[in-house]
Amino acid sequence: MMGPIPAELLGLIFLRKSLRFRLMAGEKIGLLLVRKAKVLVQGSFVETDLLVEGGRIREVKSLIDTPGARELDGEGLYAGPGWVDLHTHLYPLRFGGVGSREKNLGVRTGVTCLLDAGTTGAKNFEGFKERVIDRAETKIFALLNIKSLGIRFWQLGRVRTGEDDFRMISEVLSKHRGLIKGIKVTASREHMAASDPLYYVRRAIDAGNEFSLPVMVHFGLTPPELEQILPMLRSKDLLTHCFRNAGHTIFDSRGRLRPSILAARDRGVGFDLGHGVRSFSFPVLEQALLQGFDDFTISSDLYLLSRPFRARSFANVLSKFLNSGMGLEKVIAAASIKPAEWLGLERALAPGKPAELTLFRLEAGEFIFDDCWGEKRTGTQRIVPVYAISGGSLFPCRQ
Ligand SMILES: [Zn+2]
């Protein structure tokens, strides 16, 4: 039997079939009419037309008659707000980082905006900006790592107190307001100073207070414990890797959501997936959903190890949530509207709003999904990105 057709090829077939004009990928689209796609309007997907002009949405209504518009046949496609991945790593190994290439994570895979989760710090952020951010097709924002050299592949596990330089951090944050959206701290045993496991968490929150920026906290191996970290977090701070399962989870010893998690949520602290290679567990997700814990952002933590293994792609991560019983609208909101809100971006599909869209289809079949701890689930559908519309251009997608 023939295997499934690769998504990249399907994207090209769709592009040839559905565009009634010649268009190079990434070319400015001018006036574009997307016909009969299921568009996410006020929380539900409804079949309608959508007219885009010059990077903005002009109309969302049925049977728009627009002479001169290029047309894209949206039948069989869903048109949702552009995907936003809040946890990625984009500074590559050849410069000392742990990142994957933007072209493998960005608009060509349906992701219209990427947040680099602190791969660089005050000493190497300029290099990251020049070499990656300024040259990317995809809109990129960054978190600045509280450690001055960020996350270095060759230096994992060798941390001492004092790898930060507060004066320099302040300079970089002042210079790149708008581009740097927050501070990142990796609060996990192997990345913390043994003498004081909370040192960097405190430093990150100090910097956040000084510059009115949120902090993204990675939690992992103890110390520090969640019970120590959570009371320190402020409204809009984000706990990433919330569905980890390494003996230290968001649940207490009786399997209930920790009171400190609920208290943090009530204070406005956000929760983020950050799938990666060690931070997604089906049982933890399922248990959390059963307990009504469904307000979080879905992010991939794609970097040089999780792209070939486990997370693989943003769409693959989304499919795991879709097959775990979260409705499609909720999955898409957690991957677009919610993370966009955190970054201060607009994603509503309404006239006058920026035309940042991801068009995808649902493929039916039998698909095996795995988590990071050896658990597998069989799913009946998966999300396949077909086009991204971003910055006034159209991009055919692959997984
Ligand atoms: Zn990460």
Side-chain angles (χ1 to χ4, degrees):
M1 231 181 91
M2 252 180 70
I5 302 172
E8 190 169 0
L9 187 57
L10 269 172
L12 290 174
I13 292 169
F14 259 101
L15 187 68
R16 288 186 54 143
K17 238 181 73 176
S18 56
L19 283 176
R20 292 186 201 156
F21 52 89
R22 284 173 63 84
L23 186 68
M24 300 292 289
E27 187 193 330
K28 293 286 173 194
I29 48 181
L31 195 60
L32 176 72
L33 178 61
V34 181
R35 273 253 191 242
K36 286 194 168 179
K38 293 189 191 77
V39 181
L40 191 69
V41 182
Q42 290 172 352
S44 346
F45 282 104
V46 288
E47 191 178 292
T48 186
D49 299 339
L50 190 141
L51 185 66
V52 170
E53 185 179 22
R56 297 238 156 222
I57 295 171
R58 203 164 101 180
E59 297 210 68
V60 183
K61 65 179 188 188
S62 286
L63 301 169
I64 302 167
D65 186 20
T66 313
R70 291 161 151 178
E71 274 192 35
L72 189 154
D73 180 1
E75 224 166 325
L77 297 182
Y78 291 80
W83 295 348
V84 177
D85 192 343
L86 268 194
H87 192 147
T88 63
H89 296 283
L90 297 160
Y91 199 50
L93 186 61
R94 67 181 184 281
F95 303 126
V98 295
S100 294
R101 298 174 69 177
E102 172 262 336
K103 78 177 184 64
N104 293 327
L105 270 54
V107 278
R108 307 275 171 172
T109 66
V111 182
T112 56
C113 180
L114 296 161
L115 181 68
D116 180 275
T119 318
T120 57
K123 286 186 181 150
N124 50 2
F125 179 78
E126 289 291 346
F128 174 42
K129 181 177 177 295
E130 278 167 28
R131 290 161 169 154
V132 178
I133 298 177
D134 292 347
R135 300 177 187 194
E137 278 182 322
T138 311
K139 184 78 193 159
I140 299 176
F141 293 102
L143 301 179
L144 192 71
N145 203 297
I146 194 64
K147 290 178 193 157
S148 298
L149 283 167
I151 303 167
R152 288 157 293 157
F153 188 76
W154 305 114
Q155 305 253 333
L156 290 179
R158 292 166 53 193
V159 176
R160 6 172 221 99
T161 312
E163 290 192 10
D164 54 335
D165 177 337
F166 223 56
R167 185 190 47 80
M168 208 170 169
I169 288 168
S170 295
E171 276 171 22
V172 174
L173 289 176
S174 305
K175 187 173 170 193
H176 298 290
R177 278 179 193 273
L179 174 59
I180 297 175
K181 295 286 190 179
I183 319 289
K184 171 72 182 295
V185 59
T186 307
S188 182
R189 185 174 62 213
E190 72 273 36
H191 304 283
M192 303 302 277
S195 56
D196 181 2
L198 288 171
Y199 173 82
Y200 287 109
V201 182
R202 282 197 303 271
R203 292 297 258 175
I205 287 173
D206 286 348
N209 284 335
E210 189 182 337
F211 287 88
S212 302
L213 288 171
V215 172
M216 178 191 270
V217 181
H218 157 129
F219 90 95
L221 301 174
T222 57
E225 303 270 345
L226 265 178
E227 296 304 327
Q228 295 173 294
I229 299 167
L230 285 165
M232 299 170 75
L233 302 189
R234 309 155 303 162
S235 171
K236 226 194 147 188
D237 287 341
L238 203 56
L239 186 79
T240 190
H241 305 314
C242 65
F243 298 119
R244 273 179 70 90
N245 185 11
H248 181 229
T249 69
I250 55 174
F251 304 115
D252 62 19
S253 54
R254 295 171 306 138
R256 306 291 306 168
L257 283 164
R258 291 170 188 264
S260 53
I261 288 278
L262 299 175
R265 183 176 68 180
D266 292 346
R267 280 204 310 281
V269 172
F271 297 91
D272 176 64
L273 162 65
H275 188 301
V277 292
R278 280 181 304 188
S279 301
F280 173 67
S281 153
F282 274 119
V284 172
L285 170 67
E286 288 154 1
Q287 184 67 11
L289 290 175
L290 275 177
Q291 293 180 36
F293 185 84
D294 61 358
D295 190 6
F296 48 81
T297 49
I298 300 178
S299 67
S300 66
D301 193 10
L302 282 166
Y303 68 109
L304 60 88
L305 294 182
S306 58
R307 213 181 93 73
F309 307 104
R310 310 233 167 105
R312 295 178 185 275
S313 71
F314 194 62
N316 183 47
V317 171
L318 297 188
S319 296
K320 296 183 188 189
F321 282 71
L322 182 63
N323 286 286
S324 297
M326 258 177 96
L328 180 64
E329 289 84 354
K330 272 201 155 171
V331 172
I332 296 303
S336 58
I337 297 167
K338 277 185 198 172
E341 254 171 36
W342 196 79
L343 292 172
L345 306 174
E346 282 193 295
R347 279 295 183 277
L349 301 187
K353 302 290 184 191
E356 296 290 314
L357 294 125
T358 302
L359 279 69
F360 63 92
R361 61 191 179 80
L362 289 183
E363 185 181 336
E366 196 178 288
F367 307 103
I368 310 285
F369 297 102
D370 52 1
D371 69 4
C372 302
W373 309 94
E375 292 272 344
K376 294 188 189 309
R377 299 288 183 271
T378 304
T380 55
Q381 50 188 353
R382 65 175 184 168
I383 295 171
V384 180
V386 181
Y387 303 113
I389 295 176
S390 183
S393 300
L394 178 91
F395 301 87
C397 301
R398 54 189 160 72
Q399 280 263 31

